[in-house]
Amino acid sequence: MGGGTGTWQEFTDITGLGFDAGGNLHIANAPDYGDLAGVIVSPRGELLATFGGTGDGPGEFRSVGAMVALADGRVVVSDVGHAGYHIFGSDGEFERLVRFPGGQPSLDLVSRMHWNGDERTRILRADPGGNLLSRMVQTTSVSVDSTDGVITTRGSVFEGPRQVERILLDGDEARTEIVVTGWDPPGPTRLVAFAPKFLFDALPGGGVVYSDSSAYAIKIADPAGKVVRILRRALEARPVSDDIHRDYRKRRIDAAHVALSEGLERSRGLVREMLENAASAPRRLRERRIGDIIENVRFYPEIPLVDDLRATWNGTLWVLRTPEDGYPSESVGLGRLAGSRAPIDVVTSDGRYVGTFPALVAAMPIAFGPDGLVAFVEIDEFDVPTVIVKRLPDEVR
């Protein structure tokens, strides 16, 4: 899907994919903070419904975050501007708005800007009970200094305790309950490269699988949050050497220049004007200022072994390892790094090792669905995305 003759296939920035129990695929196409045009597509690739749009009316968005497709076909979209979760039916029709816990009916512009950076980094997963599982990722606040024409960053922090929450959507205002609390790395985590990620996914029956350290230790928790099993592999994490310090900082500087160029292509209005001012500064000045920032990055003593973690609808685990000669992927931050090819281990939640996809062929699906359905996004040379749906062999479902 994508690049077809119908206007609904004119995707520009796919920010979310999710299947329902009928195998229908829900796609969030959100090129800007406020815009989102959602579509629901049948297993045959035919358009079933559309949902969303920018505005202040029912079912319209001001500043969207994540989209989640529930098993029963409903769609949940978080919206910072309206301080709540929009819920749409399987036919794309707006049903109701559930306010954020303690939220207000709407937020002014200043509050929206303050909340937006946090809520857009929140990871949401569908809970089998028809609710959401949520965690806040490590966030980096990035600003543009238009006076000197350079990019600066305010730092990188973990937002509060590393927890998975269950968000209950049965009332007018969402309620939350803590399911599991992960391990917190010792010491400050501000501007720390390679700090262990807190990864999680939902399991059938309401349990949670998560990884919270630099070791290969995948924890299985029951619906009440009690860890009932830990899956390990006897792999050793790489110590972080001075050579890794230098190589990582160089990669971050190079990536920062690329991010500035990409930002210019995608931005508009005031943001574009500020980025143009930044880009107009001499490269040596930009590089010195960016380099000063990145020189302040501290390092966790070892590189974590696990870079991503997902669960299929059958409860089989896909564990993406960190590349043996690379670094963990970074989703936020100045000069963030994309992940390199790395092996994916497939393990059942009761601990049976199924096998490993080697790095040259491994690819982590963006969405898993029923009966082995998975979805990927491919980007062509013109940055146009296409959604590819495949079906997994029985043994890796």
Side-chain angles (χ1 to χ4, degrees), residues 31-71:
D32 294 297
Y33 282 114
D35 300 333
L36 184 146
V39 298
I40 304 175
V41 184
S42 76
R44 296 172 58 88
E46 300 165 340
L47 178 67
L48 295 177
T50 62
F51 61 92
T54 304
D56 295 323
E60 295 178 335
F61 310 126
R62 287 182 177 176
S63 184
V64 294
M67 179 212 73
V68 176
L70 302 180

Side-chain angles (χ1 to χ4, degrees), residues 22-354:
N24 302 311
L25 181 62
H26 303 246
I27 305 173
N29 183 47
D32 294 297
Y33 282 114
D35 300 333
L36 184 146
V39 298
I40 304 175
V41 184
S42 76
R44 296 172 58 88
E46 300 165 340
L47 178 67
L48 295 177
T50 62
F51 61 92
T54 304
D56 295 323
E60 295 178 335
F61 310 126
R62 287 182 177 176
S63 184
V64 294
M67 179 212 73
V68 176
L70 302 180
D72 61 9
R74 290 178 299 153
V75 186
V76 181
V77 180
S78 66
D79 182 353
V80 176
H82 284 103
Y85 301 99
H86 298 268
I87 300 179
F88 300 88
S90 57
D91 56 0
E93 292 296 317
F94 174 70
E95 292 185 353
R96 60 195 178 97
L97 177 73
V98 179
R99 294 195 304 275
F100 290 157
Q104 305 168 17
S106 62
L107 296 175
D108 59 28
L109 178 61
V110 174
S111 299
R112 207 181 308 165
M113 292 174 64
H114 176 75
W115 279 36
N116 194 59
D118 291 342
E119 282 300 322
R120 283 185 63 85
T121 61
R122 184 180 291 278
I123 301 298
L124 297 177
R125 303 273 193 235
D127 183 49
N131 296 298
L132 304 175
L133 292 179
S134 164
R135 73 169 173 88
M136 190 74 76
V137 301
Q138 182 181 359
T139 60
T140 300
S141 179
V142 178
S143 65
V144 176
D145 184 340
S146 58
T147 302
D148 295 334
V150 294
I151 294 180
T152 62
T153 179
R154 299 190 190 99
S156 179
V157 297
F158 282 110
E159 296 289 342
R162 305 210 295 174
Q163 297 173 332
V164 175
E165 296 178 330
R166 182 172 287 113
I167 301 176
L168 307 174
L169 303 172
D170 51 358
D172 294 333
E173 181 176 312
R175 297 176 292 117
T176 62
E177 57 186 27
I178 298 172
V179 182
V180 295
T181 299
W183 174 74
D184 275 319
T189 55
R190 184 178 177 83
L191 289 172
V192 175
F194 312 142
K197 297 180 180 180
F198 184 38
L199 306 166
F200 84 105
D201 208 350
L203 292 173
V208 176
V209 56
Y210 67 100
S211 171
D212 60 356
S213 70
S214 59
Y216 195 112
I218 310 301
K219 299 178 181 180
I220 309 295
D222 63 18
K226 179 183 177 182
V227 175
V228 296
R229 187 175 297 108
I230 301 178
L231 310 180
R232 305 181 187 273
R233 288 201 67 180
L235 302 172
E236 294 186 3
R238 280 184 291 149
V240 177
S241 64
D242 290 341
D243 287 342
I244 289 177
H245 289 187
R246 289 189 289 270
D247 180 65
Y248 174 81
R249 286 171 171 142
K250 180 182 182 302
R251 292 195 197 191
R252 285 283 298 272
I253 290 172
D254 292 342
H257 291 299
V258 173
L260 176 58
S261 299
E262 291 178 346
L264 278 170
E265 293 178 3
R266 292 173 176 266
S267 61
R268 61 189 183 189
L270 180 60
V271 173
R272 181 175 180 84
E273 182 180 337
M274 291 190 296
L275 289 174
E276 285 175 343
N277 289 337
S280 65
R283 180 182 174 92
R284 63 180 181 277
L285 173 60
R286 284 189 280 128
E287 193 158 302
R288 186 174 71 248
R289 290 291 298 274
I290 293 171
D292 288 344
I293 295 164
I294 294 174
E295 280 298 319
N296 291 325
V297 173
R298 295 191 298 274
F299 291 86
Y300 197 73
E302 58 187 16
I303 297 176
L305 289 166
V306 177
D307 193 28
D308 199 4
L309 171 66
R310 294 301 305 271
T312 72
W313 279 45
N314 293 349
T316 297
L317 310 179
W318 284 42
V319 184
L320 175 66
R321 286 190 250 153
T322 300
E324 292 184 1
D325 57 350
Y327 308 129
S329 59
E330 299 173 345
S331 59
V332 294
L334 181 64
R336 60 185 181 271
L337 302 182
S340 304
R341 290 282 191 175
I344 296 177
D345 297 330
V346 180
V347 188
T348 64
S349 54
D350 60 3
R352 181 175 61 87
Y353 173 71
V354 177

